[in-house]
Amino acid sequence: MARTGHGQNQPRVRAGRGVGGRGAHDPSGSSISGHSDDRGSKSRRRQSLWSPWQSRRLYAAFVIGLAVFIAILHRNHIAHMFERDRHFSHLSTLERELTFRTEMGLYYSYFKTVIEADSFILGLQSIMYDNVTEFPLIINTLKRFNLYPEVLLGAAYRTYETVMYKMGIPTKLCWQVNRGQGLSPVQSCEGLGEPSYFYIESVFLLNGINMGVFFLFGVYLSGSIIGGLLTVLHFFYNHGECTRVQWTPPLRESFAYPFLVIQMFTVTVALRSSRPSRSSCVVIAVATVCFMLPWQFAQFALLMQLLSVFAVYVLRFIGSRTIRVILCGLFLGLVTSTVLLFANEMLLSSFFAAGLVAVWFVVLLEPLLEKLKFPLVIMILQIVLLCGITIGVKFATSRLLGVADDEHIGDIFRSKFTDFKNFHTMLYTCAPEFDFMETATPGRILKTLLGPCALLSVAVFVFRLAQNEYFGRPEDKLESNEENTKRSSPKTAQNKNGHVPCTPSPDNAGDRLIQFRHKENAEILYHVFQLTSFTAMAVIIMRLKLFWTPHLCLLSSLLASRQFFGWIGTQSRHYMAVGILIAAMSVQGVANLQHQWSIVGEFSNIQMEELVEWIPTNTNGDSVFAGPMPTMATVKLCTGRPIVNHPHYEDVGLRERTKLVYSMYSRKDEEDVWRNLQKLHVNFAILEDSWCTRRTKPGCALPEIWDLEDELNRGREPVCSRLHKKPGPFFSSVFHNDVYHVLEVLKEPTTGHFQRSKESRSVLHSDKERKR
């Protein structure tokens, strides 16, 4: 009966607060009414306890499901564009390899080496002790070219083939394709058992996942699913400005950039937290390693990130605790990558490594600097220390390790802003991707409203930031900092009597306030600084806009944030405005997509096919080739012949070797070119006739580039033109078609011709001296 009485009394108190509670209005107070109210109270109590948890699970499942759908959609989008551009499914194995030009062919050749070796270990040894890429040197290409994607994909392919073979499941379907135009039929295979398919499908899958992560990133940053959808729509509508994976899958950026997005996501989570955990350091480190291992240029993006986080710290939005967690992750990532890349000297002597040392030092000096009591003075000292230590450590490590591979980067920047030019900088800056951002790019992102959306997001954030920092009440800021300190500070130790001291020492309280300092929206401020640095990189070097344009898409997600755009009105009015914006940007965005979908082509390179079919049948297996860098990558991939130069131009030794080879396109004497090729043990030189005259802009033809350094021979006919007409006495023509001309480098020049050549050269030089 006591239980019944409890059921009668307790619900009546609660029912009075609800709607339609019969126990509060029934004067009889019958036990039946009491039991009914007891059940209703328990039901409401269960709903209050479980409903938020269940709704959060449902929301998370919906968001993740939407991210998976977007990932699949993007994977299909880029895969179909790639197929339509090349008709890849109908090409033979050789033709597919020919589609991988320049660096792409070089990287794919190492994947081919790993899967064609007798065992995975032998394939790994072949690329670690390689004497084919820069003959006769033996180099570790895994270290030099960041080939971990090819190694991992090679291991995955071998495993896949073994498992499918044991299960008796076919991995590819082959048929004969009639190419027409008098060309012989070829066999074409589709399926993951075809190496090229396995390779590019892995790239497309990774970049599909990247789009799913972008969606989650936008949701997290804006606090709204609409924000994530805005990010994705802007990416699709500006796809040609955001990525080129649909045209060039094997490039390093295709493997590396998705991990940068994940890494920035983890850094953002750490910055939003008032006290990030130690596990955040490990997650940042893992993402950093995955970003650094595939791409040599990752260090520059990470340097910009380091400077952006440091700027947030200098402006006192985060304390030493938060920045130490991020620095720990970056440092572990750098050390791990350096070890896995066999103590890569370019990483050890990079500005990123030097910057890490400098920022660590500045953070360690925080207790001393805070005693100055003048925030502006502290900021100036921190910036001066950062610049001074970074430059000092960079040049000290470069000199100590004898690293000169990255000197060309300084020369490139110097040539951008001064009249400085040399042979190597011209080879870079004459390529469109290393030139300044093309003037049409800003116009294209304006038409899709990406630029205005990102600019509006940043402007509103900066306005709100200034409003809070300079017009907010000081006591509110103090209370916020003190609350963060209380929430995130460790428990105060008990004294020897077992009591907790009532008041901590002022010094300890001040130190904790500094250490756990955290202001709202620190992560947004970081992204504003990151966008600023990416903008500078994209303006100076067009290729780096792959960092800039996606970040514009990410920051545009803030348009759906109620925190920053709640002033528009109610939530329905706000999202209605976002819907109108999406409709407006879809006008040009859909047109951009239709243009990409309309690109239809069919790959054919008969001249190159003739060349790579002639080489195996007419030269020895150890014959050494030299020529234009893109062509050499194809020769190595398709024929396996040793080469002396290639498109990976970042090594100082390779740059000098290429300069010797490219003397074929100078105005020097034939004998000078012959001696240069003899130094490199070259048996065959490949001339491309178009390289004698082709130029992307004035001053960029190879003979014109040579004029910068070879003043003595200015005005002469290029040697490539002379060799095309008359290859003797130092060379012999052995193959020629409409594009390629193969010259055999003779061991000894033809005697009669050699004597006449010496006489004519001495007359020419005496004429030049008389003119002087």
Side-chain angles (χ1 to χ4, degrees):
M1 293 299 294
R3 191 172 177 181
T4 304
H6 177 74
Q8 289 173 337
N9 295 330
Q10 185 71 13
R12 292 190 179 192
V13 177
R14 292 179 178 270
R17 300 176 185 173
V19 179
R22 290 182 59 188
H25 298 85
D26 189 354
S28 66
S30 66
S31 63
I32 296 176
S33 175
H35 280 295
S36 176
D37 287 345
D38 188 39
R39 287 193 297 271
S41 175
K42 289 180 180 179
S43 176
R44 284 193 297 272
R45 208 156 40 238
R46 283 196 298 270
Q47 287 178 357
S48 65
L49 288 174
W50 292 101
S51 293
W53 179 76
Q54 289 175 335
S55 63
R56 283 196 296 269
R57 284 190 66 183
L58 184 62
Y59 175 80
F62 176 72
V63 171
I64 292 173
L66 198 53
V68 171
F69 170 76
I70 290 170
I72 295 172
L73 184 67
H74 189 241
R75 179 262 158 212
N76 291 339
H77 178 64
I78 56 181
H80 291 163
M81 279 196 291
F82 182 80
E83 166 64 22
R84 283 193 298 270
D85 180 56
R86 290 167 170 78
H87 213 191
F88 198 72
S89 60
H90 286 63
L91 300 180
S92 67
T93 299
L94 175 60
E95 288 174 317
R96 287 171 181 159
E97 291 179 353
L98 293 179
T99 64
F100 299 142
R101 289 282 287 164
T102 103
E103 293 175 73
M104 297 186 289
L106 183 68
Y107 298 135
Y108 183 78
S109 71
Y110 299 109
F111 170 73
K112 185 178 177 182
T113 298
V114 172
I115 65 174
E116 290 183 350
D118 293 336
S119 68
F120 172 74
I121 297 300
L122 289 176
L124 187 61
Q125 289 177 347
S126 297
I127 66 174
M128 290 177 61
Y129 301 95
D130 180 284
N131 67 340
V132 176
T133 306
E134 293 181 12
F135 186 88
L137 303 180
I138 297 176
I139 62 173
N140 185 346
T141 56
L142 179 59
K143 172 184 176 180
R144 279 270 299 274
F145 306 147
N146 299 68
L147 297 178
Y148 273 97
E150 283 66 32
V151 171
L152 295 177
L153 288 179
Y157 177 83
R158 297 180 73 104
T159 303
Y160 170 77
E161 282 286 281
T162 301
V163 172
M164 293 296 104
Y165 176 77
K166 290 183 177 179
M167 295 177 65
I169 301 175
T171 59
K172 58 184 176 181
L173 180 65
C174 300
W175 57 84
Q176 194 175 57
V177 175
N178 186 4
R179 298 189 291 174
Q181 299 179 355
L183 301 174
S184 59
V186 294
Q187 186 183 58
S188 180
C189 299
E190 279 189 272
L192 293 180
E194 180 70 12
S196 57
Y197 258 97
F198 188 92
Y199 187 90
I200 63 170
E201 284 295 335
S202 302
V203 177
F204 294 152
L205 176 63
L206 179 61
N207 282 268
I209 295 172
N210 178 45
M211 186 54 60
V213 175
F214 247 113
F215 168 73
L216 296 175
F217 207 161
V219 171
Y220 182 81
L221 211 59
S222 65
S224 167
I225 292 178
I226 304 298
L229 292 175
L230 264 177
T231 300
V232 171
L233 282 174
H234 273 303
F235 197 104
F236 271 92
Y237 288 167
N238 298 273
H239 203 274
E241 305 297 323
C242 290
T243 181
R244 50 181 181 169
V245 65
Q246 66 273 22
W247 316 128
T248 56
L251 290 182
R252 299 299 83 187
E253 65 204 47
S254 302
F255 293 100
Y257 184 72
F259 292 106
L260 174 62
V261 176
I262 296 172
Q263 195 262 7
M264 289 191 297
F265 201 162
T266 60
V267 170
T268 302
V269 173
L271 287 170
R272 180 172 287 187
S273 172
S274 60
R275 188 180 182 186
S277 63
R278 302 289 182 185
S279 60
S280 299
C281 168
V282 178
V283 176
I284 293 172
V286 172
T288 302
V289 170
C290 292
F291 176 47
M292 295 187 76
L293 286 183
W295 200 16
Q296 200 170 27
F297 285 114
Q299 54 173 297
F300 300 107
L302 292 174
L303 174 63
M304 296 299 104
Q305 181 184 72
L306 176 66
L307 296 178
S308 300
V309 172
F310 182 74
V312 177
Y313 167 75
V314 167
L315 291 176
R316 309 171 79 82
F317 271 74
I318 58 173
S320 58
R321 163 78 183 196
T322 301
I323 196 171
R324 282 180 179 179
V325 169
I326 296 172
L327 289 176
C328 171
L330 294 176
F331 181 76
L332 285 178
L334 174 64
V335 171
T336 306
S337 299
T338 303
V339 171
L340 291 175
L341 290 171
F342 308 92
N344 189 295
E345 294 83 0
M346 282 193 70
L347 284 183
L348 290 172
S349 63
S350 65
F351 273 104
F352 171 56
L356 269 178
V357 174
V359 174
W360 266 115
F361 188 78
V362 173
V363 173
L364 290 175
L365 288 179
E366 184 181 65
L368 292 176
L369 293 174
E370 290 292 335
K371 292 180 180 180
L372 296 174
K373 305 300 182 183
F374 297 102
L376 182 60
V377 175
I378 295 173
M379 291 179 188
I380 293 174
L381 280 176
Q382 288 173 327
I383 295 172
V384 170
L385 285 171
L386 172 72
C387 296
I389 296 172
T390 300
I391 294 173
V393 172
K394 160 63 182 173
F395 285 103
T397 52
S398 295
R399 177 159 297 195
L400 181 65
L401 298 173
V403 176
D405 293 338
D406 57 354
E407 286 182 354
H408 68 294
I409 298 174
D411 290 340
I412 291 173
F413 280 100
R414 184 180 167 192
S415 68
K416 293 278 186 179
F417 303 105
T418 68
D419 58 355
F420 172 78
K421 296 177 182 178
N422 64 23
F423 181 84
H424 301 299
T425 61
M426 290 297 290
L427 283 186
Y428 272 105
T429 57
C430 283
E433 58 267 29
F434 284 95
D435 202 354
F436 286 104
M437 180 190 293
E438 56 185 351
T439 55
T441 298
R444 286 194 286 263
I445 65 170
L446 282 174
K447 290 180 180 178
T448 59
L449 301 184
L450 173 58
C453 287
L455 188 61
L456 178 60
S457 298
V458 172
V460 170
F461 167 73
V462 172
F463 174 77
R464 290 289 300 274
L465 186 69
Q467 191 178 43
N468 293 338
E469 286 296 303
Y470 298 105
F471 302 107
R473 293 184 301 167
E475 57 268 25
D476 290 343
K477 301 175 191 176
L478 181 60
E479 289 173 5
S480 175
N481 269 333
E482 287 179 347
E483 183 62 30
N484 283 332
T485 304
K486 291 177 184 178
R487 185 169 60 250
S488 54
S489 298
K491 294 181 179 180
T492 308
Q494 295 179 345
N495 61 21
K496 59 184 178 182
N497 295 323
H499 300 291
V500 178
C502 296
T503 307
S505 65
D507 290 341
N508 290 338
D511 289 345
R512 285 200 301 272
L513 183 63
I514 295 169
Q515 182 179 3
F516 297 107
R517 177 173 56 215
H518 185 271
K519 292 184 181 179
E520 191 180 14
N521 298 320
E523 76 281 4
I524 307 295
L525 182 61
Y526 152 71
H527 281 288
V528 171
F529 283 127
Q530 188 79 83
L531 176 63
T532 304
S533 61
F534 284 166
T535 303
M537 292 169 63
V539 169
I540 295 172
I541 298 177
M542 189 185 71
R543 180 180 182 180
L544 299 182
K545 71 178 180 181
L546 72 96
F547 295 121
W548 174 62
T549 321
H551 221 76
L552 289 174
C553 301
L554 185 62
L555 279 179
S556 70
S557 68
L558 296 179
L559 292 174
S561 171
R562 294 291 297 160
Q563 179 186 1
F564 297 111
F565 289 88
W567 50 267
I568 292 177
T570 62
Q571 188 178 50
S572 58
R573 181 179 295 179
H574 180 191
Y575 288 159
M576 186 181 298
V578 174
I580 294 172
L581 171 66
I582 291 174
M585 70 190 204
S586 296
V587 174
Q588 183 62 43
V590 172
N592 289 348
L593 286 175
Q594 289 175 340
H595 171 70
Q596 284 195 317
W597 295 335
S598 68
I599 298 175
V600 178
E602 185 169 355
F603 177 82
S604 179
N605 191 344
I606 303 302
Q607 291 79 15
M608 176 61 81
E609 189 176 339
E610 290 173 350
L611 174 65
V612 297
E613 287 180 342
W614 177 86
I615 289 175
T617 57
N618 293 275
T619 64
N620 296 326
D622 57 355
S623 297
V624 182
F625 283 78
M629 291 184 284
T631 305
M632 289 301 97
T634 303
V635 168
K636 180 187 180 303
L637 167 62
C638 298
T639 71
R641 295 296 191 268
I643 58 175
V644 299
N645 63 314
H646 52 78
H648 203 275
Y649 205 60
E650 278 67 44
D651 180 73
V652 63
L654 189 276
R655 291 197 293 272
E656 294 307 316
R657 293 166 72 88
T658 299
K659 188 175 180 180
L660 291 176
V661 172
Y662 277 21
S663 62
M664 296 188 299
Y665 300 100
S666 69
R667 306 181 194 275
K668 296 179 180 292
D669 296 319
E670 291 87 336
E671 183 181 359
D672 294 333
V673 176
W674 176 72
R675 293 191 185 280
N676 289 339
L677 297 177
Q678 288 277 39
K679 290 178 186 177
L680 300 173
H681 308 282
V682 174
N683 301 121
F684 296 93
I686 300 178
L687 280 174
E688 290 190 41
D689 298 338
S690 61
W691 281 54
C692 276
T693 55
R694 184 180 62 190
R695 60 179 182 174
T696 55
K697 57 184 179 181
C700 283
L702 275 174
E704 294 174 334
I705 293 175
W706 267 106
D707 288 343
L708 294 173
E709 300 194 7
D710 188 15
E711 297 181 6
L712 181 64
N713 291 299
R714 284 181 184 175
R716 294 185 65 189
E717 183 183 13
V719 67
C720 49
S721 299
R722 286 180 266 143
L723 289 175
H724 180 71
K725 299 173 185 175
K726 185 179 179 182
F730 303 98
F731 303 92
S732 173
S733 178
V734 291
F735 174 84
H736 188 269
N737 63 19
D738 294 339
V739 176
Y740 303 100
H741 192 180
V742 180
L743 301 175
E744 183 178 2
V745 182
L746 301 178
K747 294 182 179 179
E748 295 292 338
T750 307
T751 307
H753 290 287
F754 181 51
Q755 186 64 33
R756 285 195 295 272
S757 176
K758 288 177 64 177
E759 293 174 356
S760 61
R761 187 169 64 255
S762 63
V763 170
L764 177 64
H765 285 182
S766 62
D767 288 342
K768 285 184 175 287
E769 291 298 327
R770 283 197 298 271
K771 289 179 181 179
R772 289 183 178 182

